[in-house]
Amino acid sequence: MRSFIGGHEAVSDTDFVELALGTPLELWLGEDGESATDRAARLDAARDILADNPTMPDDAIRIAAQAIEAHAPELFNIVPMTRLTARRERARGAVAA
């Protein structure tokens, strides 16, 4: 199955993140061995992007949280809290009875 976002094919997790942010990850994370001049230019570009899109950090966090919420159970075998609460209540009832 192929996935496209805005006409661009996403073939990896990194592609999905970059397409969602609209910028390459290296802009935010840097690269190994970058010079002080490159780092200063990268940070300056990041500041300009954030000035133009002040809600970008909140949007990125919200998108990441939604993705984790949607996919964490199958990826990490997580049981939703509502099921845990029901189990605890049943266990307490069995012990008390």
Side-chain angles (χ1 to χ4, degrees):
M1 180 176 188
R2 296 168 61 174
S3 299
F4 290 87
I5 299 174
H8 299 280
E9 184 176 9
V11 295
S12 69
D13 295 342
T14 301
D15 288 344
F16 279 104
V17 172
E18 288 180 354
L19 289 168
L21 292 174
T23 61
L25 285 178
E26 291 81 14
L27 176 68
W28 308 103
L29 304 177
E31 294 186 51
D32 290 337
E34 73 181 350
S35 69
T37 303
D38 289 343
R39 182 175 192 275
R42 178 179 57 79
L43 293 176
D44 190 44
R47 277 190 288 276
D48 288 345
I49 290 170
L50 290 174
D52 291 342
N53 297 304
T55 64
M56 185 181 206
D58 293 335
D59 294 342
I61 291 168
R62 181 177 34 72
I63 291 166
Q66 289 170 345
I68 291 168
E69 184 177 40
H71 300 286
E74 70 229 27
L75 295 174
F76 303 109
N77 197 23
I78 296 173
V79 178
M81 286 301 294
T82 53
R83 287 176 35 198
L84 287 176
T85 302
R87 272 191 213 159
R88 285 187 194 125
E89 289 175 2
R90 283 194 305 270
R92 284 186 191 139
V95 171

